[in-house]
Amino acid sequence: MNRGNAHSVWAILAGPYALYLLVLLPFANVALFSIQTYSPTKIILPELTPANYLKLFDPYYARLFARTLKLGLITTVICALLGYPLAYFLARARPRVVTLGLFLLIMPLMVSTVIRVFGWIVILGRKGLINEARLGLGLERVQLLYSETAVVIGLVNIFMPFMVLPLLASIERIPPSLEEAAQNLGANWLQMFRRVILPLSLPGLISGSLLVYSISISAFVTPALMGNSRERMAAQQIYDEVLVSFNWPSASSLALTLVLLTLILMFWALFATRRTGRREIAS
């Protein structure tokens, strides 16, 4: 099957579902709500207005999105720093070790996010394991829970597999002979990683970063339970405006803005991956 026929088959298979998700029902409905007028009594009035988007320039919403993007970026960077060694170890390990490692990596995904967050609350709370250990060492308690640090810890714990698995797939495709050649030429491990492993595994890093970042900025449960109510993320604001204040037009504009940011990131990542692939082919 040539490339043109393969693209046609995938378009036929994925087209109806993509059309259903993006056009027919939810996306079009939210887009329509976002340009309508809010009413305290009727929720939505059929009057078009740009006010829902203009208010996004308010300092409160600017800080809201800045905080959301910042925490998503921090989570992605930490997942990459912690995920690379683990992915490399699994890629070069024996089959039994790989099986055990993948089981331990994927098994937490089978547990509810709420249960895992409550586990972190027990660990990070004022009378949690960390503070009790500090008291045992003669140190004072510290406020870890209900902070941005706690949110990042929870997000990294939940989304780490989404970084490790793409990295693992990319590193497995790198022949070990390239690493041996770099070492024979006098490169240490850091030089070998910077000049061999990192460039060749860059598509996996971009894919994992895209996954982690996009789901981190849209996370709700972890920031709601582990974060500070005064320093919320975008998903928490959307939830409150939908179910507390019933301001559906404002919530729709926030949701579409978040989707737009995610789409921009996704297309940038796809462009970077394709450009990297062309460089590898050219070299």
Side-chain angles (χ1 to χ4, degrees):
M1 182 181 294
N2 56 38
R3 182 175 297 181
N5 292 334
H7 288 170
S8 300
V9 171
W10 280 111
I12 294 174
L13 294 176
Y17 184 63
L19 186 65
Y20 173 79
L21 285 179
L22 299 178
V23 179
L24 294 183
L25 290 179
F27 195 82
N29 197 34
V30 171
L32 180 61
F33 283 169
S34 68
I35 57 175
Q36 291 183 329
T37 303
Y38 167 68
S39 171
T41 56
K42 298 182 180 180
I43 300 180
I44 293 177
L45 296 177
E47 300 176 3
L48 302 184
T49 176
N52 299 316
Y53 289 98
L54 293 178
K55 80 171 190 176
L56 297 180
F57 295 97
D58 183 88
Y60 172 79
Y61 290 99
R63 290 193 299 269
L64 177 74
F65 278 101
R67 186 182 307 113
T68 300
L69 299 179
K70 180 188 70 173
L71 294 182
L73 179 60
I74 294 174
T75 301
T76 304
V77 171
I78 295 177
C79 284
L81 294 176
L82 298 179
Y84 246 118
L86 178 58
Y88 180 82
F89 171 76
L90 293 177
R92 297 293 183 254
R94 297 179 179 179
R96 292 183 179 180
V97 177
V98 175
T99 302
L100 178 61
L102 290 178
F103 172 76
L104 295 177
L105 182 68
I106 298 176
M107 183 180 64
L109 296 177
M110 304 176 186
V111 181
S112 171
T113 302
V114 177
I115 296 177
R116 297 168 68 181
V117 168
F118 278 125
W120 278 111
I121 291 176
V122 173
I123 296 174
L124 301 177
R126 181 168 178 79
K127 295 185 178 181
L129 297 179
I130 294 180
N131 277 318
E132 291 298 324
R134 287 178 61 88
L135 288 178
L137 296 174
L139 302 176
E140 296 181 355
R141 300 179 189 270
V142 292
Q143 180 63 34
L144 295 176
L145 196 59
Y146 308 123
S147 64
E148 292 185 357
T149 301
V151 173
V152 171
I153 292 174
L155 293 177
V156 169
N157 173 256
I158 294 172
F159 300 138
M160 178 63 74
F162 298 99
M163 177 65 73
V164 174
L165 293 178
L167 284 174
L168 174 62
S170 294
I171 296 175
E172 281 182 335
R173 290 196 292 267
I174 302 176
S177 59
L178 294 179
E179 302 175 19
E180 297 174 358
Q183 292 176 346
N184 291 335
L185 293 174
N188 56 35
W189 197 91
L190 291 178
Q191 292 174 333
M192 179 191 67
F193 174 81
R194 182 170 60 88
R195 297 185 179 184
V196 177
I197 300 176
L198 180 59
L200 295 180
S201 62
L202 192 58
L205 176 62
I206 294 176
S207 301
S209 300
L210 175 63
L211 285 172
V212 173
Y213 192 79
S214 59
I215 56 182
S216 294
I217 64 176
S218 59
F220 169 72
V221 174
T222 303
L225 296 179
M226 299 182 66
N228 191 332
S229 59
R230 297 180 181 179
E231 299 177 352
R232 54 179 54 196
M233 295 179 67
Q236 297 169 266
Q237 185 68 29
I238 295 172
Y239 176 87
D240 286 346
E241 296 199 4
V242 171
L243 297 178
V244 178
S245 61
F246 294 98
N247 191 344
W248 293 5
S250 177
S252 299
S253 64
L254 290 174
L256 282 183
T257 302
L258 196 61
V259 169
L260 179 61
L261 293 174
T262 304
L263 289 177
I264 292 174
L265 177 66
M266 180 185 68
F267 284 116
W268 173 84
L270 293 176
F271 174 78
T273 304
R274 178 174 295 182
R275 189 173 181 179
T276 302
R278 289 176 180 176
R279 287 181 178 179
E280 292 179 359
I281 294 175
S283 60

